[in-house]
């Protein structure tokens, strides 16, 4: 498993070069083009990460309290969806004596919601234990105390 993403960028670059390169290219030429493509892909990834960082910083610096409370809203909305699908709809189905179609939340919901909740809960727990810092304040949306 490549946590840095560099291996996946190298694999992607190699795959692209092998698919689109003419057969007459030498191995050295392919390696040179592959290296240049890797650089472009890494630059793109770095720009994407920087843009995400800027969005998070802008979100935290807004004066709108709701924007800073977006993380707990995601948690509460997820709980609401789980309640609707697993509690309310089955009760309604039982009461009206009609078989409603079985509803399930997609796997992507569970992955994204549990990831978001886990990070937020860990950040809040660390904050309550007295830990502070840029990472914790970014996770929880609270302002750092100076």
């Amino acid at each position: 498993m490549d946590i840095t993403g560099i291996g996946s960028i190298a694999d992607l670059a190699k795959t692209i070069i092998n698919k689109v390169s003419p057969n007459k290219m030498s191995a050295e030429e392919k390696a040179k083009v592959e290296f240049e493509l890797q650089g472009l892909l890494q630059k793109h990834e770095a720009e994407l990460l920087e843009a995400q960082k800027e969005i998070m910083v802008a979100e935290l610096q807004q004066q709108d309290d709701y924007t800073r409370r977006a993380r707990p809203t995601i948690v509460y909305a997820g709980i609401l969806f789980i309640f609707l699908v697993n509690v309310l709809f089955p009760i309604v189905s039982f009461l009206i004596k009609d078989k409603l179609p079985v509803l399930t939340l997609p796997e992507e919901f569970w992955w994204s919601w549990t990831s978001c909740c886990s990070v937020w809960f860990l950040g809040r727990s660390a904050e309550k234990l007295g830990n502070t810092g840029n990472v914790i304040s970014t996770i929880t949306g609270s302002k750092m105390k100076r």
Side-chain angles (χ1 to χ4, degrees):
M1 178 177 208
D2 178 24
I3 12 180
T4 62
I6 294 171
S8 59
I9 291 173
D11 292 341
L12 176 62
K14 188 173 188 171
T15 302
I16 291 171
I17 296 304
N18 287 335
K19 294 278 184 191
V20 299
S21 68
N23 292 334
K24 295 180 181 180
M25 280 182 94
S26 69
E28 295 154 355
E29 291 173 322
K30 282 185 181 182
K32 181 181 176 199
V33 173
E34 184 180 325
F35 182 74
E36 291 171 3
L37 185 57
Q38 286 176 9
L40 290 173
L41 290 170
Q42 288 175 344
K43 181 181 175 194
H44 173 71
E45 286 292 320
E47 290 171 353
L48 183 62
L49 285 173
E50 184 62 30
Q52 290 171 342
K53 177 184 151 199
E54 288 174 10
I55 290 169
M56 288 179 69
V57 168
E59 173 188 305
L60 292 173
Q61 291 176 345
Q62 286 188 5
Q63 298 303 316
D64 180 22
D65 284 339
Y66 179 75
T67 304
R68 291 200 308 255
R69 290 190 316 262
R71 288 165 195 83
T73 301
I74 290 171
V75 173
Y76 299 137
I79 291 170
L80 175 67
F81 296 146
I82 293 167
F83 174 79
L84 289 173
V85 169
N86 295 312
V87 178
L88 186 63
F89 294 157
I91 290 173
V92 169
S93 176
F94 176 77
L95 292 176
I96 64 172
K97 307 266 191 261
D98 191 14
K99 192 77 171 162
L100 294 177
V102 176
L103 297 175
T104 59
L105 293 169
E107 186 176 336
E108 294 81 5
F109 166 81
W110 289 108
W111 278 105
S112 60
W113 186 73
T114 54
S115 298
C116 181
C117 288
S118 299
V119 170
W120 186 66
F121 289 146
L122 289 172
R124 291 292 292 153
S125 298
E127 188 178 61
K128 289 183 184 217
L129 291 172
N131 296 324
T132 58
N134 288 335
V135 174
I136 293 174
S137 65
T138 300
I139 289 170
T140 61
S142 63
K143 293 183 181 179
M144 278 186 52
K145 297 174 185 167
R146 299 194 186 241

